[in-house]
Amino acid sequence: ITLMGLDKIIDADVKCLQWVYQYTQNKSCRRIIWLSKTGDGYLYLLIGLLLWQFEPEHGPLFLATALMAYALEIPVYLILKHAFKRRRPAQFVPNFSAHIQPSDKFSLPSGHTAAAFLMAFILSSFYPSIAPVAYVWASGIGISRVMLGVHYPTDVILGALLGSSIGMFMTWMDYAL
């Protein structure tokens, strides 16, 4: 991508962010914040532990796969975030303020989205019937991050690709072994 092409992508990204964000200005964001918080990580561990305890056919392998997947996803996410060093919208877009305080200063990729799509992929691999719910929930987390003003749309897209790719790799590893 040329520098001019990258500028166009960034411009479109900012415009899309502002378009989505406008729907939350001067409004209560409690539900959006709640949805976003379901991607903080605690729910993933709870799901894994519940499946391990109460679903003997696939639960133990699910938990092991998820733990290994997150052990890979977190460092890759951190490496990418510090390699890209993309400033958050409130640091880049004039007269812009996020609804929540982000946990760190860089935005690319979205860690919440990566983790949510990783969980959705693994859940869908083990329990295909819940795939639609898992992916709607993961997509909701990604959209919530844009609506709250802490991520650009491309941060969320790359987060979804990261989480899905690691999920694909880990489930492939399970089947290969």
Side-chain angles (χ1 to χ4, degrees):
I1 298 176
T2 65
L3 194 53
M4 194 163 116
L6 186 59
D7 286 343
K8 287 181 181 183
I9 292 170
I10 291 169
D11 187 49
D13 212 18
V14 170
K15 285 179 180 168
C16 187
L17 163 74
Q18 291 171 323
W19 179 77
V20 170
Y21 184 80
Q22 76 178 340
Y23 293 102
T24 63
Q25 284 184 306
N26 304 317
K27 294 182 180 147
S28 170
C29 293
R30 283 182 300 143
R31 289 184 180 136
I32 299 166
I33 292 169
W34 175 84
L35 176 59
S36 178
K37 284 186 177 287
T38 66
D40 285 353
Y42 308 108
L43 182 62
Y44 310 139
L45 183 58
L46 179 63
I47 290 169
L49 291 173
L50 288 171
L51 289 170
W52 171 70
Q53 184 66 36
F54 297 109
E55 202 281 289
E57 185 178 351
H58 300 294
L61 183 57
F62 174 89
L63 178 60
T65 301
L67 289 173
M68 289 187 301
Y70 285 105
L72 176 60
E73 182 265 337
I74 292 169
V76 170
Y77 149 77
L78 290 171
I79 289 167
L80 290 172
K81 192 158 264 210
H82 290 284
F84 289 120
K85 294 184 179 181
R86 185 179 196 187
R87 294 180 298 168
R88 297 231 181 227
Q91 299 168 322
F92 180 76
V93 180
N95 303 316
F96 189 88
S97 154
H99 292 289
I100 60 172
Q101 182 66 37
S103 59
D104 59 38
K105 63 182 179 177
F106 300 126
S107 71
L108 182 68
S110 166
H112 277 77
T113 308
F117 271 84
L118 175 54
M119 179 54 71
F121 193 95
I122 295 171
L123 277 169
S124 299
S125 296
F126 281 85
Y127 310 99
S129 64
I130 65 165
V133 172
Y135 281 108
V136 166
W137 166 75
S139 299
I141 287 177
I143 293 166
S144 76
R145 304 301 288 170
V146 177
M147 292 177 83
L148 293 171
V150 293
H151 281 289
Y152 302 94
T154 53
D155 300 341
V156 168
I157 292 166
L158 290 175
L161 288 172
L162 173 63
S164 297
S165 298
I166 291 176
M168 192 178 308
F169 174 72
M170 293 309 296
T171 54
W172 173 79
M173 291 293 291
D174 283 342
Y175 294 121
L177 297 176

